[in-house]
Amino acid sequence: MNTIKQFYNNFVNWLAGGYPLCFTYWITGVILNGMISLCLYAINYQIGHGTIELNTGEVIFFIIIFLKVVLVPLTLWAISMSIGNYEGFWVWRVLAILAVISGVFNYFSFCAEIIKAFVAV
């Protein structure tokens, strides 16, 4: 129970901007979301080329899409909260704000593509 409470406290602290901007941007923003995107590409490639069974690939694909749909807004929120608490050089703050704005547009584009894919089926 203590581990769950600690995870919850760390998660809330992350969302509140309690971690440094470099951590929230590079670790949770770039690396984690990049890994999820690469997994989506790899599963889509394997489904398209028949190297994975279609049912298994689709289940994994939907799980990864669900993770991306949930994780990206949380990450963008955490980065924006860390921007508010950042006290370093102002250029990094401006670049992070531009990255968050770009991430919001990319997220909406991703969601629109997912909706179009499901409507087309």
Side-chain angles (χ1 to χ4, degrees), residues 20-88:
L21 180 60
C22 61
F23 174 81
T24 56
Y25 180 78
W26 286 108
I27 303 297
T28 62
V30 174
I31 294 175
L32 187 61
N33 285 312
M35 288 175 23
I36 290 173
S37 296
L38 285 175
C39 288
L40 276 173
Y41 174 78
I43 293 297
N44 193 26
Y45 179 85
Q46 290 180 355
I47 290 172
H49 287 82
T51 58
I52 191 171
E53 187 177 322
L54 188 59
N55 293 337
T56 305
E58 286 179 347
V59 169
I60 295 170
F61 190 71
F62 289 130
I63 290 171
I64 295 172
I65 285 176
F66 176 76
L67 283 174
K68 188 165 178 82
V69 166
V70 170
L71 185 64
V72 169
L74 294 175
T75 302
L76 291 172
W77 179 262
I79 292 171
S80 63
M81 295 305 289
S82 291
I83 291 170
N85 296 333
Y86 182 67
E87 296 178 1

